[in-house]
């Protein structure tokens, strides 16, 4: 009796052990044990040989890759919620299905966003460095390391999707007033629950907020949404927190405004030119003006395992000739 050949699944980065083990059981899985990013040519080669590609947010799946004459891919099962690393339109035109892992990272990312909202005005990282870097500390003083109170401040959320709403729930518990800008208002029930004020004009909202949280996806429409012009609308005593995508903000202008005292500071988990981080941002961090994290907003064991489980479900559903639950279409972006 002939044994049915397992589909070849190429995984671009190392995933949790339990996920890799399950993939090996179900598929002919080619795993990246070294966890070193694949080159563009290696990804192109994978597209020529694999039935399914499992990339991550750091892998660029361009139109050139999916449009290779000998591209064999049938499914791109992205290990991540955002799909700005994939040319979804080109894949769709080529008949390649694209999936992602939504709803898994909402709470983890919202937790980290709230942590930065607290850390930046209260100077937490700056204060911690006094003890960990051997800097002199004479003990408590009534006027030393003063930050700003969180309660009562206005938080402006850019992007009121699942993560934006989760941030709003946390922020409201800390006494922040919730404002938001979105393509359209949220349902009245949600707005009432969050006590949220909708701003159709992003410009008007930016000029009135104490803290601004970027929680929208990176798409062609949101590239440099916080442009040089818009960043200059922000108040001098306001802070920006970004746990979404670095490309949403004009990073060079943000740096100049913080350096010049035109914006009070920022908490950043993402950067415009990742994995490169501007040396100017590092200098601002050392000066206590910004808090920098290495893109770890969703980095929990539970979250990564759940992402992997979603990837497996999407692959198995697709291979069983059904629509994957997390299919992404160009019209959705």
């Amino acid at each position: 009796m002939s044994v049915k050949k397992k589909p070849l699944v190429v995984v671009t980065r190392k995933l949790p052990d339990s996920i890799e083990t399950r993939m090996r059981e179900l598929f002919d899985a080619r795993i990246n044990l070294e966890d070193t990013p694949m080159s563009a040519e290696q990804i192109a080669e994978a597209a020529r040989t694999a039935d399914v590609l499992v990339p991550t947010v750091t892998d660029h799946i361009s139109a050139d890759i999916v449009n290779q004459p000998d591209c064999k891919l049938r499914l791109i099962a992205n290990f991540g919620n955002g799909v700005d690393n994939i040319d979804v339109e080109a894949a769709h035109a080529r008949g390649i299905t694209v999936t992602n892992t939504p709803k898994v990272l909402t709470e983890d990312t919202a937790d980290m966003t709230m942590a930065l909202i607290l850390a930046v005005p209260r100077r937490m990282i700056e204060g911690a460095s006094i003890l960990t870097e051997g800097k002199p500390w004479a003990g408590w003083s009534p006027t030393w390391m003063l930050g700003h109170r969180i309660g009562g401040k206005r938080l402006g959320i850019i992007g009121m999707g699942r993560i934006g709403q989760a941030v709003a729930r946390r922020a409201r518990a800390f006494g922040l007033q919730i404002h938001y800008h979105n393509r359209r208002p949220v349902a009245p029930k949600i707005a009432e629950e969050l006590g949220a004020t909708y701003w159709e004009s992003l410009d008007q909202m930016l000029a009135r907020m104490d803290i601004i949280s970027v929680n929208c996806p990176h798409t062609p429409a949101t590239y440099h949404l916080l442009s040089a012009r818009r960043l200059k609308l922000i108040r001098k005593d306001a802070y920006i927190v970004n746990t979404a995508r670095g490309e949403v903000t004009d990073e060079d202008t943000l740096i100049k405004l913080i350096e010049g005292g035109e914006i009070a500071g920022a908490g950043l988990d993402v950067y415009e030119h990742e994995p490169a981080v501007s040396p100017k941002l590092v200098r601002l961090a050392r000066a206590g003006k910004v808090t920098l994290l290495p893109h770890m907003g969703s980095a929990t064991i539970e979250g990564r395992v759940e992402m992997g489980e979603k990837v497996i479900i999407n692959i198995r559903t697709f291979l069983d000739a059904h629509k994957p639950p997390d299919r992404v279409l160009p019209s959705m972006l």
Side-chain angles (χ1 to χ4, degrees), residues 125-314:
I125 304 301
E126 187 183 358
S129 70
I130 298 296
L131 303 179
T132 59
E133 296 179 11
K135 298 176 183 178
W137 181 49
W140 181 87
S141 166
T143 57
W144 185 69
M145 286 297 294
L146 299 182
H148 288 279
R149 179 179 294 164
I150 299 297
K153 299 296 191 296
R154 292 187 176 91
L155 172 66
I157 297 173
I158 302 174
M160 200 62 151
R162 286 185 293 268
I163 295 174
Q165 291 174 33
V167 170
R169 291 188 181 93
R170 287 158 173 75
R172 196 176 187 205
F174 280 86
L176 285 137
Q177 298 176 39
I178 308 303
H179 297 250
Y180 73 100
H181 169 77
N182 206 42
R183 284 183 294 180
R184 60 186 67 87
V186 298
K189 181 179 179 181
I190 295 173
E192 183 179 357
E193 173 202 344
L194 301 174
T197 300
Y198 174 64
W199 293 84
E200 184 177 0
S201 167
L202 176 58
D203 289 9
Q204 291 183 14
M205 185 183 82
L206 291 174
R208 293 165 171 82
M209 297 298 108
D210 300 298
I211 303 169
I212 295 150
S213 178
V214 180
N215 298 107
C216 62
H218 171 222
T219 67
T222 62
Y223 175 76
H224 278 196
L225 183 66
L226 289 183
S227 61
R229 180 189 66 79
R230 283 195 169 121
L231 287 169
K232 291 173 183 175
L233 299 174
I234 296 171
R235 291 165 37 183
K236 291 184 178 182
D237 58 352
Y239 300 89
I240 295 177
V241 168
N242 188 355
T243 56
R245 286 290 187 269
E247 294 89 343
V248 177
T249 303
D250 181 338
E251 193 172 278
D252 287 341
T253 300
L254 176 63
I255 290 169
K256 289 175 184 175
L257 292 174
I258 295 174
E259 287 176 333
E262 298 301 311
I263 292 177
L268 306 175
D269 187 45
V270 291
Y271 308 92
E272 188 170 354
H273 306 291
E274 281 189 39
V277 178
S278 169
K280 293 181 179 178
L281 277 176
V282 175
R283 285 198 293 271
L284 286 171
R286 288 173 178 156
K289 295 290 186 181
V290 301
T291 295
L292 306 179
L293 295 176
H295 202 149
M296 54 189 287
S298 62
T300 67
I301 295 169
E302 296 86 350
R304 295 289 188 252
V305 170
E306 288 181 26
M307 288 171 70
E309 289 170 347
K310 268 189 172 286
V311 168
I312 291 172
I313 289 170
N314 283 319

Side-chain angles (χ1 to χ4, degrees), residues 317-333:
T317 307
F318 176 82
L319 294 175
D320 287 341
H322 299 295
K323 275 187 182 177
D326 302 310
R327 189 181 180 195
V328 178
L329 299 173
S331 59
M332 299 164 62
L333 303 177

Side-chain angles (χ1 to χ4, degrees), residues 77-112:
N78 199 45
F79 185 86
N81 183 34
V83 291
D84 50 313
N85 58 310
I86 302 169
D87 192 322
V88 177
E89 190 170 347
H92 182 71
R94 186 65 187 262
I96 301 170
T97 298
V98 177
T99 61
N100 65 342
T101 59
K103 303 179 183 178
V104 172
L105 305 176
T106 299
E107 302 304 322
D108 297 329
T109 305
D111 285 345
M112 192 63 81

